[in-house]
Amino acid sequence: MSSIEAAGLHFVVEPAPPGAEGGPTLAVRSASGGGDWLRFECRARGARLWIGPSDEGAKEVLPAPEFAEPIAWAVGCLRDELPALLAKAGFDGDIPGADACADVLGSVETALRNPPARLSDFGEPELRARTGEKWQVYPDDVLPFWVADMDFPVAEPIRRQMERAAAVGDLGYPLHPRPHALPRVFARRMADRYGYAVDVKRVCLLADVMQGVHIGIATLSEPGDGVIVQPPIYPPFFAAATEHGRRLVENPLVPGPEGYELDFDGLRAAARDSRVLLLSNPHNPTGRVFTRIELEKIAEIALENDLFVISDEIHSDLIYAPGVHVPIATLSPEIEARTLTLNAASKAFNIAGLRTAAAAFGSAEIKQRFESIPSHVRGGLNTLGIQASLVAWTEAEPWLEEVRAALHTNRDFAVDFVRREMPGIRTYPPEATYLLWLDCRDLGLEPNPWRFFLREAKVGLSDGPAFGTQGEGFVRFNFATSRALVEQGLTRMAEALRRRS
């Protein structure tokens, strides 16, 4: 329960179980005490307002208009009719003016839409009921910690929007992307969070970030041109270069004392005979968040060699303090003009299956090249994905803050556990993402770490070599689940290692 005070009133929000008959309630009480004078039941179906003192029984019960979104209806009533509603209820205090509570209604709406996130009270039966690949690829006796999906239930604002869309049959063609709100919301979020003032006219909606990578390579380079990747790297980057007939140019990251480091001499050499740099920032799988100084060096090399930069920034909302995300396009007008920035709500808000992302073109030239691929070849947009992304970026920030805190705690627990219980495995605490890159080379696990832990610990991980030859002897562990499951998976791995010795 949360309570917000303004103008002699308490606005009290009580969460309730989700579902058609569930939903939060909002009570309006006198700050001096007593019962409810107004009470909104924001059910998905059958929302209503009780008017009158709760200890005497309601004087009147008003249903929400048919098909009205319940929370928007409740907040709208308070914004437009609060004095009249209090008078009708017989409120025995000073009735505030129409604007007296306007400043707090945004906080009231946020509280209504965001009950405490479910970050621990779920288990295997619920997770195995899902049809996505994370919990369906491995056998039932294997705990999966591989593909970059989170196990946390979706944010309540997104869940309610999906339920509402299904209830009213809102599954038809979406609006054409140009007049739709999502590009504007994306542009505003990039400006507010990361200081990237992207022109909304240079924002394009896509099915996913990798679609943007493929189209970017196809339109910003020619067959035979070099495409630079910095492994270990997200596996689809390799195919994105080679499937378009480009030369794959590798500039591996270098392990340093505190984490992986960029090889700038190697990058400068690779750039002399290349056309595109694929940048993953924050970096998958190492979890590096490249600093402004590092990015300035990358930008300098890109400009010196006339490179286009395709920047995958999908993990930017999952950075741990004190890390700060710096879009490379913000460094100067010159590097912005050479940069295609890609992002999505899918990773941070766990909605990858809804297939929606956004591209920000740093220049008219990049936009023109990119859009030379006809829109019907690029494919249509997902109605539910657009709705979910819009709600994620406008209503679900409290959920994301809770998730980041839980992931930070899980990260620290996992790193400490590995260092304490698995001698011989090395890892750096990731500065972002929920992925732990585990160096098992010193253990000589046969036939390889991925298969060893699958066979001996019944734990499913991501196989290191998929991230490049630099991943030989590594596995990637996804800790975006409940603490109980993280501990169970790591304990299985530690016990398998002890049995081996």
Side-chain angles (χ1 to χ4, degrees), residues 82-93:
L82 179 59
L85 291 172
L86 287 173
K88 185 180 289 188
F91 184 65
D92 57 7

Side-chain angles (χ1 to χ4, degrees), residues 300-333:
E300 178 185 342
I301 294 170
L303 293 173
E304 286 175 352
N305 293 275
D306 203 27
L307 292 180
F308 285 107
V309 178
I310 300 176
S311 185
D312 172 1
E313 302 181 7
I314 197 170
H315 291 275
S316 59
D317 279 342
L318 297 172
I319 293 177
Y320 307 113
V324 175
H325 178 63
V326 179
I328 193 170
T330 63
L331 298 181
S332 71

Side-chain angles (χ1 to χ4, degrees), residues 172-474:
Y173 291 117
L175 284 169
H176 190 276
R178 292 194 186 281
H180 196 276
L182 188 56
R184 296 193 301 274
V185 167
F186 171 73
R188 185 169 66 246
R189 185 177 179 84
M190 293 297 287
D192 292 346
R193 292 180 72 90
Y194 306 123
Y196 185 14
V198 60
D199 184 347
V200 69
K201 294 178 181 178
R202 295 209 300 253
V203 173
C204 173
L205 299 184
L206 305 169
D208 61 24
V209 162
M210 281 309 303
Q211 181 189 42
V213 171
H214 275 268
I215 296 174
I217 290 173
T219 57
L220 299 177
S221 64
E222 299 294 333
D225 284 346
V227 174
I228 303 170
V229 298
Q230 303 190 92
I233 194 63
Y234 181 49
F237 273 24
F238 297 109
T242 59
E243 287 177 355
H244 292 278
R246 275 55 170 176
R247 287 183 297 105
L248 183 66
V249 181
E250 296 192 16
N251 179 53
L253 300 184
V254 180
E258 302 296 329
Y260 277 84
E261 300 174 354
L262 291 158
D263 178 0
F264 293 107
D265 290 337
L267 181 58
R268 187 169 281 106
R272 294 190 188 106
D273 192 28
S274 296
R275 185 61 169 165
V276 171
L277 168 64
L278 295 186
L279 179 64
S280 173
N281 181 37
H283 189 269
N284 177 7
T286 69
R288 273 300 319 278
V289 177
F290 297 127
T291 66
R292 180 177 293 273
I293 292 174
E294 289 174 311
L295 292 168
E296 286 173 345
K297 292 180 180 178
I298 292 174
E300 178 185 342
I301 294 170
L303 293 173
E304 286 175 352
N305 293 275
D306 203 27
L307 292 180
F308 285 107
V309 178
I310 300 176
S311 185
D312 172 1
E313 302 181 7
I314 197 170
H315 291 275
S316 59
D317 279 342
L318 297 172
I319 293 177
Y320 307 113
V324 175
H325 178 63
V326 179
I328 193 170
T330 63
L331 298 181
S332 71
E334 292 77 17
I335 192 61
E336 180 187 12
R338 307 292 298 175
T339 301
L340 168 62
T341 302
L342 302 168
N343 213 321
S346 58
K347 197 63 63 179
F349 292 93
N350 205 32
I351 51 174
L354 293 178
R355 317 303 290 176
T356 303
F361 307 120
S363 64
E365 178 192 1
I366 293 178
K367 180 177 186 291
Q368 182 179 18
R369 285 171 174 251
F370 194 97
E371 293 183 344
S372 67
I373 303 293
S375 61
H376 280 285
V377 176
R378 301 199 303 266
L381 299 173
N382 184 329
T383 294
L384 294 180
I386 290 175
Q387 294 182 35
S389 298
L390 188 64
V391 169
W393 284 336
T394 58
E395 299 178 9
E397 191 64 28
W399 179 89
L400 181 57
E401 291 175 0
E402 287 188 70
V403 165
R404 266 197 304 264
L407 292 176
H408 198 163
T409 301
N410 278 0
R411 180 201 71 168
D412 292 348
F413 171 80
V415 170
D416 178 71
F417 188 102
V418 169
R419 290 176 174 174
R420 178 169 32 87
E421 301 292 339
M422 301 187 207
I425 295 183
R426 292 173 291 176
T427 191
Y428 301 110
E431 298 165 343
T433 79
Y434 43 78
L435 307 166
L436 201 58
W437 187 236
L438 301 176
D439 182 353
C440 309
R441 290 175 295 178
D442 290 349
L443 296 177
L445 300 176
E446 296 293 341
N448 56 59
W450 173 77
R451 192 163 295 280
F452 172 84
F453 286 118
L454 178 61
R455 182 187 64 210
E456 302 297 331
K458 299 300 181 183
V459 169
L461 305 167
S462 293
D463 195 7
F467 299 83
T469 57
Q470 298 77 12
E472 295 285 349
F474 287 76

